[in-house]
Structure formats: C-alpha cells, structure tokens
Amino acid sequence: MNRGNCPLCGSLVRAKDLKPYSRLACGKCHADLHLGKDGDLKIGGPPDVDAQFQELKREIRQKVEGFPARKVVTVSATLLVLGLGLYQLFGPAERLDSVAEKAARAIADNDSRTLESLAAPGTADDLRRWYEAVRPRLAQLRQGWGGKTEAVEAHVAQEDRDQHKGSVGVSIRPVMSGARDVSLADPSVATAGAETTFDEATDWTLTRWGRWKIDGRATVARISPTTAAR
C-alpha cells in the first residue's frame, strides 16, 4: 500500500502498490497527482516517458557528433607508428645470423638492391664494388655445377656486440645426389664440381640502433685493398 500526503491540501492519500509515474488524484481537493520516481507524490500528471527518452537520445547524438573522432583516430595512428618506429630503433638488437642469411640469399639470387640495402652507412659503393668483383667467380662455378640445386649458407664467425663488430662467411654450393652422379658420363667432373664451392667472408658492424649492417669498406678490402681505396 502506497501512502502519502497531497502536496496541495495535505490530505492523506492511500493507493495500492503502484509503480513510479502512476497517475493518482487527491480524494479531498481532487488535484491531479502522480507517484514520482523517488516514491513521493507529485502535483500534476506523470511526465511523458517517451518524450524524455527521445530527448536523451538527442543529447547523446549531439555529444557523439561533437566528439573529435577523426582527430582521435589520427592521433592514435600517429602514436602507433611512432611506437613501432621506436621499437625498431630501440628494441632488442637483431641477431647477426638472421640478417646474414638474408645477405647470403641476395648474393645467390643476384639481388644487388637487397644487398646494398644491408650496407652500413657510407659503404654502399664499396659493397657494390665487392659484389661486382666476386659475382663472376660464382657464375663460373655454377657452370660446373650443371644446374644442380644449391645450398646457400651463412656462417657467423664473430658476433661481438660490445665492439659492434662481426664477420660472416657466405657459402654457396651444389647439393649433390648420389644416384644422379652415377649416371653422369664423367663422374670425376662431378666430383670436382662438388668440392668447389663459393666461399666469401664479409665484415659487419652493429649500428647504434641495434641493426647489423655489412661494412662494405672492410669487406672489399679483404679481396683487394686497392679496390677499397677507390
């Protein structure tokens, strides 16, 4: 049972259990009343709930439209790119063997662009001269391999992070098959080819950002000090 006093005449108003916004009337002064959300009697009819709901939606829509979504997205994207860049610059130093394998594959595939992208700053021209000097020998060796499948390997001989120096041996050789070799007309030629591999040493330097790069100047000096001095 709901009980309360009429806000106008003060008479006691009794009613069965009602929900908020239920319509009532004072038995003495006949004033229109309704049960408020807080359970107290209010003067007048109950508010239009649907109108209140529509007004609330309108306010929410205005706030959403006024929210600088594009600006927030732009700032978020910028921060994400910046974060990835900082991770690349200041994140854990990369392993020499992983990047050395990439360089070895570039040599085998005659991919000079990738190889030069791995050159230390200021040594790209030196690395290009080294590559032009050793490439003919690889081509000549391949003629003796008879188009066999090749194994491309990078062997890390030194990885001194404190001194920021490293050295890697690049090896390219044919993968021999015993059954296939027996069928050759001249097995001695095949044996000689199998024992002849392309082996070259490369020097590397660790940048301040933790990235290994080929020291083209030191690498070309291994095969020709005169070439390195050009």
Side-chain angles (χ1 to χ4, degrees), residues 22-105:
S22 296
R23 188 181 296 273
L24 299 170
C26 178
K28 183 177 181 180
C29 68
H30 306 291
D32 289 331
L33 306 173
H34 71 273
L35 190 64
K37 187 177 181 180
D38 55 4
D40 293 336
L41 292 176
K42 309 292 183 181
I43 299 174
D48 189 339
V49 178
D50 184 65
Q52 289 184 332
F53 178 68
Q54 295 300 327
E55 178 63 20
L56 179 61
K57 289 201 301 183
R58 187 184 64 81
E59 293 178 359
I60 294 175
R61 188 181 302 110
Q62 288 179 342
K63 291 181 180 180
V64 171
E65 291 175 351
F67 189 75
R70 180 176 299 179
K71 185 176 181 180
V72 171
V73 171
T74 301
V75 172
S76 299
T78 302
L79 292 176
L80 177 61
V81 172
L82 180 60
L84 291 175
L86 290 175
Y87 179 80
Q88 290 293 327
L89 293 177
F90 301 105
E94 64 182 348
R95 293 175 48 178
L96 179 54
D97 56 357
S98 61
V99 68
E101 290 177 2
K102 182 178 179 181
R105 176 53 60 184

Side-chain angles (χ1 to χ4, degrees), residues 44-199:
D48 189 339
V49 178
D50 184 65
Q52 289 184 332
F53 178 68
Q54 295 300 327
E55 178 63 20
L56 179 61
K57 289 201 301 183
R58 187 184 64 81
E59 293 178 359
I60 294 175
R61 188 181 302 110
Q62 288 179 342
K63 291 181 180 180
V64 171
E65 291 175 351
F67 189 75
R70 180 176 299 179
K71 185 176 181 180
V72 171
V73 171
T74 301
V75 172
S76 299
T78 302
L79 292 176
L80 177 61
V81 172
L82 180 60
L84 291 175
L86 290 175
Y87 179 80
Q88 290 293 327
L89 293 177
F90 301 105
E94 64 182 348
R95 293 175 48 178
L96 179 54
D97 56 357
S98 61
V99 68
E101 290 177 2
K102 182 178 179 181
R105 176 53 60 184
I107 295 172
D109 294 342
N110 194 22
D111 186 357
S112 59
R113 179 175 299 182
T114 297
L115 188 64
E116 290 178 20
S117 71
L118 297 174
T123 69
D125 290 339
D126 298 295
L127 185 60
R128 186 183 307 110
R129 286 194 291 269
W130 172 83
Y131 181 67
E132 292 173 350
V134 302
R135 182 69 189 177
R137 186 166 67 85
L138 176 58
Q140 183 178 7
L141 289 173
R142 279 175 166 164
Q143 292 180 358
W145 296 345
K148 296 180 177 64
T149 301
E150 297 176 0
V152 180
E153 301 171 340
H155 306 280
V156 177
Q158 179 188 19
E159 185 174 359
D160 192 334
R161 294 176 181 270
D162 294 334
Q163 297 297 322
H164 295 248
K165 293 182 179 181
S167 60
V168 175
V170 175
S171 176
I172 303 174
R173 58 181 176 78
V175 177
M176 306 301 294
S177 172
R180 184 179 176 185
D181 293 340
V182 173
S183 65
L184 294 175
D186 189 354
S188 62
V189 174
T191 303
E195 295 174 350
T196 306
T197 63
F198 175 85
D199 293 304

